[in-house]
Amino acid sequence: MTGRALSGGRAASAPLLGHETEPTIFEMSVSGRSAYQLRTTGVPATALADLIPATHLNGDVVNIAEVSERDLVAHFTRLSHRQFSVDLGMYPLGSCTMKYNPKFCDAVANDPGLNSVHPGAPAELTQGWLELLATLEEKLCAVTGMAAATLQPAAGAAGELTGLLLMRAYHSANGDPRRRILIPDSAHGTNPASVTLGGYEVTTVPSNDRGLVDLEKLKASLGPDVAGIMLTNPNTLGLFEEEITEIAAAVHEVGGLLYYDGANLNAILGAVRPGDMGFDIVHMNLHKTFATPHGGGGPGAGPVAVSKRLVEFLPGPKATRLDDGTFAWVKPSRSIGRVHGWHGNAMVLARALAYIDVHGGDGLTRVAKYAVLNANWLRQRLSDTLPAAYDRVCMHECVLTATPLKNKYGVRGLDVAKALLEEGFHSPTVYFPLIVEEALMFEPTETESLQTLEALAEAVERIAQRAIDDPDALHRAPQTTPVSRVDEARAARHLIPTEDAASR
Ligand SMILES: *Cc1c(COP(=O)(O)O)cnc(C)c1O
């Protein structure tokens, strides 16, 4: 193979222009080239055949790309520049809480004292790690108002399944596993999926005209076969469920449990606690609320906290603080078992504790206040261009609609979202929640300044003006990004684009 130059005859080491295609590492390969050599170690070179018996040697030459370290680093650095990230700019992807992740938390996770420890090392030798995990559990319980938690689940959805297995264990222990779980029609798709995986059936509860759970319809769906309800509060419309204590009372009345989808916890940190609202099981998306890079950026963590009556069923073993001040691995008495190898995604857990400690209680409360302030500022500022689906004070995110642009100029929410990429902003979440037509769900988070919010609003207004001037051009946006419009369904199934899908 011979090394390939970039299109236009430019050298492979030159920075890519937006439209250029990066060659694969194999296309850059030149026979005999290697990334590095250790020339001065003094260790004599030994033929492989002298080290490994011939029967175990693969006779075929494995096709590995042969490139210099310089070209290798340039290749991956160029690729890393062809996407958007929280480190580049505002990422208002509603429901996902794409806040800026402080580098301090990464510095903690990079400490060799933490990350060079084998998870199977005995507790006597890893007291520091056990203390970290036990402390994180205590602080997460303080934030949510719950009795105890498991740190094992790998993400929110894994926490949901864990929570449903806990519900099943609890009801089964009472002699009746029950059959149905109630879910509002605005819920995140993982909720019904987890219910099905957990062996339950979904009953959908409609929202009322204020975007909240319809209490009367909810009561009508309740019965002795209901194992519980899954809710997020604020809900996926960014609105606070004002009747949550009535909802909790009604579900508890029939013996059901309340599951809190904690993806929206950023809105209520330090202000109100799921435990006080009446929830029995709470998952937290540490990668969302407590700042770990996510969405292709790394692993997550979805700890599940529970009220007193569910503590004995929690997954285990758990890092536990003993009376003498030392720590041990203890399995809860009626544990449902493990839901993750070892102890969960430990480095995400370390980052979360760093984030909590660096903010302190008052700092976390301010996180929530600024997140809510930013969302309401944006909702109000954009009200003439993209009106709110439910025109009232929201929590940490606002669901706006492009329906007026669609009706007047044929410009859809997707067109607005794609055009925002040209303006240097990540797109908001589109077409979710499903109950809002042409939904654009903005979650600015607390980490964006007033100036950035203003710039986003101006970008949206420029796009609205383009809808009047040249709507057809908006259907083709974005034009300045490495990849333009793709067939979304095809792109998710065929990772290698065909020529016409990649070109504009
Ligand atoms: C993100 C999210 C989930 C799923 O969490 P993951 O950590 O992505 O598995 C569930 N519910 C809501 C409302 C979410 O925003």
Side-chain angles (χ1 to χ4, degrees):
M1 273 196 226
T2 52
R4 199 186 101 181
L6 296 179
S7 59
R10 296 181 327 112
S13 58
L16 284 177
L17 300 177
H19 61 273
E20 283 175 322
T21 318
E22 176 73 15
T24 66
I25 195 83
F26 289 99
E27 289 170 323
M28 294 169 64
S29 179
V30 176
S31 177
R33 207 167 264 180
S34 69
Y36 71 94
Q37 302 167 13
L38 302 177
R39 298 176 68 109
T40 58
T41 57
V43 178
T46 311
L48 262 189
D50 294 339
L51 296 170
I52 300 173
T55 48
H56 296 307
L57 275 180
N58 184 355
D60 300 333
V61 175
V62 179
N63 183 16
I64 293 175
E66 297 176 90
V67 292
S68 68
E69 178 174 334
R70 197 270 161 280
D71 287 351
L72 181 72
V73 170
H75 172 69
F76 286 108
T77 305
R78 281 194 303 267
L79 286 180
S80 75
H81 283 233
R82 288 162 70 83
Q83 60 172 338
F84 199 89
S85 71
V86 285
D87 280 1
L88 265 181
M90 186 179 185
Y91 207 129
L93 191 68
S95 208
C96 297
T97 313
M98 305 299 284
K99 61 171 74 180
Y100 170 74
N101 307 140
K103 296 295 167 236
F104 172 75
C105 303
D106 286 338
V108 169
N110 278 332
D111 186 332
L114 288 180
N115 65 29
S116 65
V117 177
H118 192 280
E124 307 88 80
L125 301 181
T126 53
Q127 287 287 298
W129 252 119
L130 273 79
E131 178 171 6
L132 187 157
L133 298 175
T135 307
L136 177 63
E137 179 187 344
E138 287 157 10
K139 294 197 175 182
L140 294 177
C141 287
V143 166
T144 52
M146 307 304 284
T150 170
L151 305 177
Q152 284 185 15
E160 291 173 22
L161 179 60
T162 304
L164 288 155
L165 295 176
L166 287 167
M167 271 200 198
R168 177 173 288 284
Y170 171 80
H171 288 305
S172 298
N174 290 334
D176 174 16
R178 302 190 170 210
R179 199 165 56 86
R180 289 189 296 133
I181 303 277
L182 308 188
I183 298 183
D185 58 3
S186 62
H188 193 263
T190 51
N191 292 182
S194 300
V195 167
T196 306
L197 265 183
Y200 283 113
E201 281 169 32
V202 176
T203 300
T204 306
V205 183
S207 303
N208 61 24
D209 57 7
R210 299 187 68 229
L212 304 177
V213 168
D214 189 317
L215 185 58
E216 289 318 309
K217 296 210 170 107
L218 170 109
K219 283 182 177 164
S221 308
L222 286 171
D225 62 339
V226 168
I229 184 170
M230 292 181 90
L231 283 180
T232 168
N233 195 15
N235 64 23
T236 51
L237 294 164
L239 303 174
F240 195 82
E241 294 286 353
E242 294 160 0
E243 295 182 303
I244 186 59
T245 45
E246 287 83 354
I247 293 171
V251 174
H252 284 152
E253 176 77 27
V254 298
L257 297 173
L258 276 85
Y259 183 96
Y260 182 84
D261 173 343
N264 296 332
L265 192 65
N266 212 48
I268 60 166
L269 286 174
V272 50
R273 305 190 304 172
D276 299 332
M277 296 183 217
F279 285 94
D280 303 283
I281 308 171
V282 176
H283 89 241
M284 286 150 275
N285 307 62
L286 297 190
H287 44 290
K288 293 179 180 175
T289 313
F290 300 104
T292 281
H294 62 291
V304 171
V306 296
S307 58
K308 266 213 184 73
R309 54 184 165 159
L310 292 162
V311 171
E312 59 185 340
F313 299 105
L314 279 173
K318 290 172 56 195
T320 305
R321 192 185 293 272
L322 304 179
D323 289 342
D324 66 0
T326 62
F327 298 85
W329 293 111
V330 178
K331 195 169 172 189
S333 56
R334 304 166 88 181
S335 175
I336 60 168
R338 283 186 176 280
V339 295
H340 194 286
W342 301 114
H343 317 299
N345 286 329
M347 290 310 155
V348 181
L349 304 175
R351 281 187 181 86
L353 183 60
Y355 183 84
I356 289 171
D357 280 352
V358 87
H359 281 83
D362 58 336
L364 291 181
T365 306
R366 285 177 45 173
V367 162
K369 285 183 176 169
Y370 280 98
V372 171
L373 179 63
N374 278 357
N376 278 289
W377 189 94
L378 200 61
R379 176 182 60 82
Q380 191 64 37
R381 176 69 169 71
L382 292 177
S383 55
D384 291 337
T385 332
L386 298 171
Y390 297 87
D391 189 19
R392 37 190 276 248
V393 172
C394 63
M395 296 294 287
H396 66 308
E397 57 197 0
C398 52
V399 180
L400 312 182
T401 173
T403 300
L405 290 179
K406 185 180 162 195
N407 292 345
K408 278 193 224 149
Y409 315 111
V411 165
R412 302 190 57 201
L414 185 72
D415 300 323
V416 176
K418 294 289 186 189
L420 267 173
L421 295 169
E422 290 179 333
E423 297 275 355
F425 294 93
H426 195 278
S427 304
T429 296
V430 295
Y431 303 107
F432 175 77
L434 304 177
I435 57 175
V436 173
E437 196 191 339
E438 295 300 325
L440 289 165
M441 183 191 214
F442 285 92
E443 181 180 5
T445 84
E446 73 285 358
T447 57
E448 300 309 326
S449 68
L450 182 57
Q451 288 72 27
T452 302
L453 295 179
E454 181 67 46
L456 172 68
E458 286 169 3
V460 169
E461 283 159 4
R462 275 193 295 278
I463 293 166
Q465 186 59 45
R466 285 175 67 189
I468 301 170
D469 298 342
D470 190 359
D472 282 346
L474 273 185
H475 298 318
R476 292 189 299 272
Q479 295 289 310
T480 57
T481 47
V483 177
S484 182
R485 286 284 167 115
V486 291
D487 176 333
E488 310 267 340
R490 192 183 154 79
R493 289 172 178 77
H494 302 276
L495 296 184
I496 300 171
T498 55
E499 281 302 317
D500 56 310
S503 65
R504 282 167 278 127

